[in-house]
Amino acid sequence: MSRIFIICGMIAVAAACSRGERPTHTTAEGTATAAKATLIRLYSVAKKGYVMSEVVVRSDAQWKEQLTPEQYHVTREKGTEAPFTGENWNNHQRGVYVCVCCGNDLFSWEQKYESGTGWPSFWQPVAPENVSTREDNSFFSRRTEVICSRCGAHLGHVFPDGPKPTGLRYCMNSAALRFVGE
Ligand code: FE
C-alpha cells in the first residue's frame, strides 16, 4: 500500500516539476509579453514632447489588409502618386500629418508650403527623429528617400531646393499621410 503512495507521490512531483520547467511564455499572450519590443524616441505633437514608442513591424499580408491598394503601393513598394491627385497637396487646414501606416506624427501644417509640384511639401518634419532618410539611386537619379522612423513606410523624397529656414523640400505622397485636423 505504502509503495503505491510513494509511486503516486513521485508522479505528482514529476508533474509539478514539469509544470515548473515550462517557460512562462508558452501561451500566445505570454509570448507577446516575452518578446521584447523595440522602443525608439519620437516626438509627439499631442504631448508636446518626446515619448518612447514601439517600432511597428507587420507582414506584407497585414499591410495589404490594412491599407488601400494605393496606400500600399506608395508606402510599402516605394510608389509615387500622380501629382495634383492626392488629398493633401492643397490642404490648408491646421493640423498634423501622420503616417498612414502607423500613426507616427510626421509633419505639421506650420511647416507646409506651396511648392507648386502637386505633392504636399514641407520644409521640416515635426522632429528630426520622426523621419529617416536613405539614398535612393533608382530611376538613374540620386535622390534622398524619406521614410517613417517607426514603421519604415516610404513617404517621398527630400530635395535641397526648399524655402528658408532649412532650404529643404520634403516632397511627400498624399497617400502616405493621414491628416488629423486641430
Ligand atoms: Fe509609419
Side-chain angles (χ1 to χ4, degrees), residues 113-133:
Y113 75 100
E114 280 308 319
S115 64
T117 60
W119 289 290
S121 303
F122 307 84
W123 47 266
Q124 181 175 279
V126 294
E129 292 86 348
N130 289 37
V131 298
S132 305
T133 57

Side-chain angles (χ1 to χ4, degrees), residues 95-168:
V96 180
Y97 296 84
V98 305
C99 176
V100 76
C101 295
C102 74
N104 178 26
D105 291 343
L106 298 173
F107 297 95
S108 165
W109 68 278
E110 293 174 288
Q111 285 87 43
K112 192 172 187 289
Y113 75 100
E114 280 308 319
S115 64
T117 60
W119 289 290
S121 303
F122 307 84
W123 47 266
Q124 181 175 279
V126 294
E129 292 86 348
N130 289 37
V131 298
S132 305
T133 57
R134 63 184 171 204
E135 288 310 305
D136 177 2
N137 296 320
S138 60
F139 298 106
F140 306 102
S141 63
R142 299 184 81 176
R143 296 179 296 173
T144 303
E145 180 190 7
V146 181
I147 61 177
C148 171
S149 294
R150 192 178 185 213
C151 76
H154 170 83
L155 306 172
H157 293 88
V158 59
F159 301 94
D161 57 6
K164 290 180 179 178
T166 61
L168 296 174

Side-chain angles (χ1 to χ4, degrees), residues 56 58 60 63-64 67 70-79 99 101-102 148 151-154:
V56 174
R58 289 179 190 143
D60 283 344
W63 287 127
K64 273 185 183 166
L67 303 169
E70 186 183 35
Q71 289 168 345
Y72 178 84
H73 176 59
V74 168
T75 60
R76 315 317 307 188
E77 299 179 321
K78 298 187 185 183
C99 176
C101 295
C102 74
C148 171
C151 76
H154 170 83

